[in-house]
Amino acid sequence: MSEALAPACAAQRTVTILANEPVAKDTYKITLDDPMLASQITPGQFVMVRAGLGNDPLLGRPFALFDVVRDSTGTPVAVELVYLVLGRGTAELSRKRAGEPLPIWGPLGNGFSGPPVDGGDVGFVAGGIGFTPFLALGKWWRGTASYGAQGQHTGSLVSLARLYYGARSANLFAGLNDFAHAGLDVRTATDDGSLGHHGFVTDLLKADLQAGWRPSKLVGCGPAPMLKVLAGIAHQYQIPCDLSLENHMACGFGACFSCVTPIREPDGTTDLKRVCVEGPVFDSRCVVF
Amino acid sequence: MNVDLSVRLGRLTLNNPVLVASGTFGYVREMTRFLDVSRLGGVIPKTVTAQPRAGNPTPRTVETASGLLNAIGLDNDGIDHFLQHHLPYLRTLGTPIIANIAGENEDQFVSMAAQLAAETGLAAVELNVSCPNVSHGLDMGIDPTAVERLVGRVREACPYPIIAKLTPNVTDIVTIARAAASGGADAVSLVNTFRGMAIDWRKRRPILANDVGGLSGPAIKPLALRMVWEVARALPKCPIIGIGGIWTADDAMEFLVAGASAIQVGTATFADPGASARLLDSLPEKIASLGAGSVREIVGTLRSNRG
């Protein structure tokens, strides 16, 4: 089926870079002067950014909303994205300076839905650069910020948002101060033991659940092996869980059919869905690993 | 600026020469966020096949130097779904619709063309005899006898203007274009993607799940221009639709003077969703800069440096 589309407010613009600064090893935060996008985008949605006006690198790169910048009156004025330098496109982007123009299109994708109906605690599980959606999501669900046309959300606020954040090594962690400032309870894990738990980030979640903690919702973003373990944990403890997928994309708006992933339908059959327009957020029970 | 942008491709007349290439514009509904599609000369939705196809595993695309390598594998829900679900919507757009079909063999092409013949609201049918990413269908596009017979049979089965979209992965594109014209094609689309590959040498693996794919984007423009020019010189009466790395009005002008009567914007749409509309905005001024008052006056006006 092909009904899924980019959000009605999605648009293409050339915006001005306000800042583009390193925040961790190979990791940058870029701030874009775009009051329109800032007033529309919601946690879990993404923006396609092309690293310049030429044709090499050719395609845009998808980056999740990190946060919206507001002026002194609370009006959204700019959008922050955080990205990891992985290839030519992101390397080129990291060399851009404040004042330079940048072609973008967005907001794209379906963001996260509102907080769990009954409030309670929630657990976020992030692997590597997959941490980026959780600052805005945490603020939204804790009721300290609103995004897009949602205004003040109608669900109950969550009482505790705990972020399990894993990375290969301590120098890759970004935004820890932002998360603490936003009131998230952060637990870290590293592959090399240089910060927090020495091992998988999902070990930390498992231990808390074994100790009797019962969040009303889990949300994950990160590498597929981590998401697969998280989906298994969610299933075992019967906790609703959403996963934000990061499949390779060419266009971001449903035209190229690059980012398809197998999704289980309610009738038990499996269908290839475009992550850009039908996701990137999916119920963990539907994701086929 | 009063420039006549209308063009004729055999029995097909378009208000302007700016089309969008199949497989790069979704089923058009995906694009309405980014441009007014009714302004375009026409739109060509993603290829449909006789039966639904899941397409290839991922990764299906990889970016290369100023290019995109793809092996989507004609992921689509089949022609019945297209007719029931997409065509009614496409008819409402107020722009000419050119359906693009691919059969695994001649009979499948003909039966799909007959299905389209029973539908209203199409401007033309483009035959994808050139997708490099499926195991069947490719061979037809490299055999002039098969192309001529296929186009002839499709014309008998379907009253709409017929466009043959040709593969550049042949020794002599003129032979294939001539065969399509002899079969009765109203125009030929030149060109589909070039077979290529991208490699991760550390893993000693191709990057695409399909190992090889089709190259498109700015990287192929010089290759496509050469083919358009060769066909235009050899077959001056055969209308050509130029495709290959077209992003701006300057790119389009190069194809028009080389001999294309119309152009398709393809991969540029992925990198710049509104590219086709902006190209159209700039085209009249480029044409006027040559002292011409219409597209038709400049088509095929390239002069060789070799006399």
Side-chain angles (χ1 to χ4, degrees), chain B residues 127-140:
Chain B
L127 309 178
N128 180 358
V129 292
S130 48
C131 178
N133 299 321
V134 294
S135 43
H136 308 285
L138 172 65
D139 299 340
M140 213 173 301

Side-chain angles (χ1 to χ4, degrees), chain A residues 37 40-46 65 107 109-112 136 140 147-150:
Chain A
L37 180 66
Q40 294 166 334
I41 193 164
T42 66
Q45 290 190 307
F46 64 97
L65 170 69
N110 304 295
F112 295 105
W140 179 32
Y147 294 88
Q150 294 155 341

Side-chain angles (χ1 to χ4, degrees), chain A residues 1 3 5-8 10 12 50 55-59 61 88 105 248 251 253 255-258 260 272 274, chain B residues 26 29-31 33-34 46 54 58 60-61 63 66-68 72 75 77 81 85 218 247 269-274:
Chain A
M1 305 300 286
E3 292 87 351
L5 298 174
Q12 179 184 14
R50 194 147 59 80
N55 63 32
D56 193 33
L58 177 66
L59 302 169
R61 305 290 189 264
R88 290 188 314 132
W105 50 103
H248 177 76
C251 70
F253 46 82
C256 76
F257 288 72
S258 298
V260 295
L272 289 175
R274 291 163 294 170
Chain B
R29 61 178 93 221
E30 290 85 353
M31 300 312 304
R33 306 291 190 244
F34 301 105
K46 189 166 164 52
T58 58
R60 290 174 162 189
T61 53
E63 182 175 319
S66 297
L68 175 68
I72 306 293
D75 176 344
D77 292 325
H81 180 81
H85 182 73
W247 192 329
T269 294
F270 295 156
D272 180 3

